[in-house]
Amino acid sequence: MSRIVHLNGQFLPEEEARVSIFDRGFVFADGVYEVTAVVGGRFIDYDPHMERLNRSLRELDMGWPCSKDDLRAVHEDLVKHNGIDEGRVYMQVTRGVAERDFAYPKDTPTTLMAFTQLGPVIANPKAETGVAAISIPDIRWKRRDIKSIALLPQCMGKEQAARAGAYEALMVEDGHITEGTSSSAYIVKDGVVITRPLSNSILPGVTRRTLVRLAAEHQIRIEERLFTLEEVRGADEAFITSASSIVMPLVSIDGHTVGAGKPGPVAKRLRQVYLDAALAAA
Ligand code: PLP
C-alpha cells in the first residue's frame, strides 16, 4: 500500500503527488523544512519545530503556506491516514512555481509538501549499542541556522560516513566541531555535557533546545562552548541529538574508541529523561 502524502491542501497517494519542474525548490533548493518525530501517534516537540519553521521562513522572506492550525491538521491527518505509531513527518515549504530567475518572484504561492516515514524512535537498537562517527571538513554555507532544503554537503558527508561503515559525520571548521550532518553534537567530560553555542554556524536543534532544558531540570550541567576533534577523542562520552534519533551515543570517531566504547551513563540518562518527558507530554 502506498503512502498518503500531502501536497498544497490535498491528501493524495504518493504516486499522484506531482510538482512542476519550475518549482523553485527543484530549481534552486529555495525552500525550508522540518522533521517532527512521532511516538504513539503523537508528536514530540511539535511547537518548537513550528517556531523554527517560522524563523526559517522569515529569514528567507517566505510566507506561511497555510494557517498554523491547518499545518497542525496536515501533520495529524498524515499520521492518521498512514497509521504511524513510531516514525516522523517530513514537511517542506518552497517558494513555489515561477519562471527561472534568481531574485524572488512576487506574489507566487508557496508549495507545501509533507509525508510520513516509519522508523523506530523509542525502541531504536542503535541507541543500545551506540554508533560510529567519522570527521569531515564543514564545507557548508554561512547561514546554517536556516533549515534549508539545500543539503548536498550533508548528503556528501553522510555518504562518506556510510562508506566508512559509520552512522554520522561530525563536521569540523577552524579546528572545532560544528555539528553532525543531520544532528547536534556533544561530548561529556567529568560529568559536564559540552556543546557548541548557537550561532549562524549551526542549526538550532529542536532536540538540543529541549535537552538543554531537561538537563537543567535534572541537575546535569551543560556548558556551551567550542570543542575540538581531539576533545571528542579524549571525551568520557560523545553523543548526537536529532528529532529522529533523539539522543544517540557515539562510541567511536574515525576508528578511535570514545570513552568505554559503549553508550555512557550520561547519554543513556539523557535519552531516558527525554523519552519519559516526550511520552508524558503526548
Ligand atoms: N543539525 C543539523 C545540520 C541538522 O540537519 C539537524 C536535523 O536535521 C540537527 C542539527 C538536529 O536538529 P533537530 O534536533 O531539530 O532535529
Side-chain angles (χ1 to χ4, degrees), residues 33 49 52 140 147 154 179-184 203 205-208 241-243:
Y33 75 108
H49 278 290
R52 186 173 62 189
R140 297 174 299 162
K147 200 163 168 64
Q154 286 97 313
E179 56 190 333
T181 60
S182 62
S183 58
S184 311
L203 184 78
V206 164
T207 319
R208 177 192 186 283
T241 65
S242 71

Side-chain angles (χ1 to χ4, degrees), residues 73 128 142 164 186 204 213 232 276:
E128 302 298 318
K142 295 202 165 80
Y186 310 74
R213 176 174 57 76
V232 180
D276 289 348

